[in-house]
């Protein structure tokens, strides 16, 4: 069983992970779309 001091730290890690995913996934998708458009514009 975990001590009370460990529970908030674990929850904070979970929330930070969720926040990074919330920002990171759309950012990576936008970057992917940008690369596809740049390739189409200049390469293809």
């Amino acid at each position: 069983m975990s001590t009370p001091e460990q529970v908030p730290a674990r929850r904070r890690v979970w929330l930070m992970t969720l926040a990074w995913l919330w920002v990171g996934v759309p950012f990576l998708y936008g970057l992917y779309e940008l690369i596809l458009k740049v390739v189409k514009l200049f390469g293809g």
Side-chain angles (χ1 to χ4, degrees), residues 3-13:
T3 64
E5 292 84 24
Q6 291 174 339
V7 174
R10 287 186 184 177
R11 185 171 182 205
R12 203 171 342 170
V13 169

Side-chain angles (χ1 to χ4, degrees), residues 6 10 17-18 23 28 35:
Q6 291 174 339
R10 287 186 184 177
T17 303
L18 185 64
V23 173
L28 290 175
I35 290 170

Side-chain angles (χ1 to χ4, degrees), residues 3-43:
T3 64
E5 292 84 24
Q6 291 174 339
V7 174
R10 287 186 184 177
R11 185 171 182 205
R12 203 171 342 170
V13 169
W14 170 247
L15 287 174
M16 284 299 292
T17 303
L18 185 64
W20 274 104
L21 287 174
W22 187 264
V23 173
V25 169
F27 176 76
L28 290 175
Y29 176 73
L31 193 61
Y32 171 74
E33 289 291 324
L34 176 67
I35 290 170
L36 287 181
K37 289 181 181 181
V38 166
V39 167
K40 185 188 272 188
L41 182 64
F42 292 110

